Each structure stands twice: as structure tokens, then as C-alpha cells.
Amino acid sequence: MSGAAADATPFLPERLSMKALREAAAECRGCGLWEDATQVVFGAGPPRSARMVLVGEQPGDREDRAGEPFVGPAGRVLDRALSDAGIERRETYVTNAVKHFKWRPAGKRRLHQSPNAEEIRSCRPWLDAELAVVKPEVVVALGATAAKALFGPSFRVTRDRGKFVESELAAHATATMHPSSLLRIDDPEERRIAEGELAADLARAAGKLSEA
Ligand code: URA
Ligand code: SF4
């Protein structure tokens, strides 16, 4: 096929193991986002035992520096929601739809920029490979970017969050709001309600796990 658009596929390792994937992703040039980022932020969590995969949008400023997903302010919101839902984060595999931080300078700060459809598509082979290795029972998309990437462009988080959808990715698949969106709610009461909804969606997802 001539003129095929570039994506991450040529950078995938031959053998799909989490270690090989992580090492290979560090060298990915599947789109332009690696250039301005500090490092790749691959997924984190126990690949063999994790039964739930959580998929965010892309690393933020703190994640870019640390090389780990959801360790900044959004990560604290996620940690709290997981804990309220009775889920141990260290038993889940947490990753992002896009593995490099996209930003633009604003004075001394680096402002988050949403990845575009092309970047999300280019990065998709990594997410598919992670899911192929982890083989989760439940996949949860966090926010609109991940939900559209996983379930298609017609998925609306505001309308469809908390619903379970048919997906080849896992026996159970659902989406909820992005933890960062909660940080943007100024009204304390509204924020508390949203926190409760996020935790409830996560608890419902955990409820789909078979008895171990
Ligand atoms: N937001 C995301 O979507 N992912 C992270 O890892 C951090 C913030
Ligand atoms: Fe590769 Fe994804 Fe990084 Fe683009 S964002 S360079 S596709 S890892």
C-alpha cells in the first residue's frame, strides 16, 4: 500500500512482552510528539495479574518528567476515586491513549495540548499491544479522548459514561470522566458530586470482575 501514513507499528518489538514494549516505546518516532517531550510515558502496573486496565488521554507535565502515568494532580484525583471505589491501584494497569506529552509554552509553564486524531491513531499500536499482553477483563476509558479512541467517535462521555459497551478489547468495557476534568470544577459541591460519580463508575467496573 503506497502512501500509508506513519504510525507506531514499525517501532513495535517482535516479541510482545511488557519489558520489550516499554523499551521499544522509548525509541518510537511514530508521530511528531516525541520531539518536544522529555521521555515516553508507558503504562504502569502488573502486566500478568492486572485484570482492569484504565486508559487516560496522554501524560501531563508531571508525568512527562517522572516517566510514569497519572502521578500529578490528575493522578491524585484518580487515586482517591480508586480508593473510594475499593480498588487497589497497584492491582490495575494504568496507561494513556497517547504516550508522549503534547504541550505549548506559556511563559515558564508547559500547557497541555490535546492530541489530535492523527496522533491518537499513530499511537494506537502501543495501546493494542499493552492490551494484548495484559488481557484485562475490564477496560475503563478515562475521558472523551480515550473513550473515542477505544469505542469510536460517536461515544459521548457526558451521555454514555458508566454504560458498558460491546468491545473486542475486553469482556467488559466502559468509560467515565477524566480525573483532570474534576480539577476544573470550582464549585466544591459540584466537584464532590463528580468525585462520587467517578468513584461509582469505577466501582461498577470493578463489579464486573469475576470472583478470583
Ligand atoms: N492525564 C492523563 O490523561 N494521563 C496522565 O497520565 C496524566 C494526566
Ligand atoms: Fe510514538 Fe505515540 Fe510517542 Fe507518537 S505519541 S512518538 S506514536 S509513542
Side-chain angles (χ1 to χ4, degrees), residues 150-201:
L150 292 176
F151 310 139
S154 63
F155 195 95
R156 298 275 176 277
V157 168
T158 41
R159 181 189 66 201
D160 301 325
R161 57 156 268 271
K163 293 181 190 163
F164 287 84
V165 298
E166 280 292 321
S167 168
E168 293 145 25
L169 304 172
H172 307 283
T174 187
T176 185
M177 54 271 232
H178 195 288
S180 294
S181 68
L182 274 59
L183 294 168
R184 293 190 288 269
I185 304 175
D186 289 327
D187 182 77
E189 179 61 13
E190 266 180 49
R191 193 198 277 212
R192 203 187 53 73
I193 290 168
E195 284 168 354
E197 287 171 348
L198 175 60
D201 287 348

Side-chain angles (χ1 to χ4, degrees), residues 8 28-31 33-34 40 98-100 122-123 126:
C28 184
R29 308 290 184 256
C31 75
L33 291 184
W34 65 275
V40 76
V98 170
K99 311 296 197 233
H100 277 104
S122 298
C123 210
W126 293 118

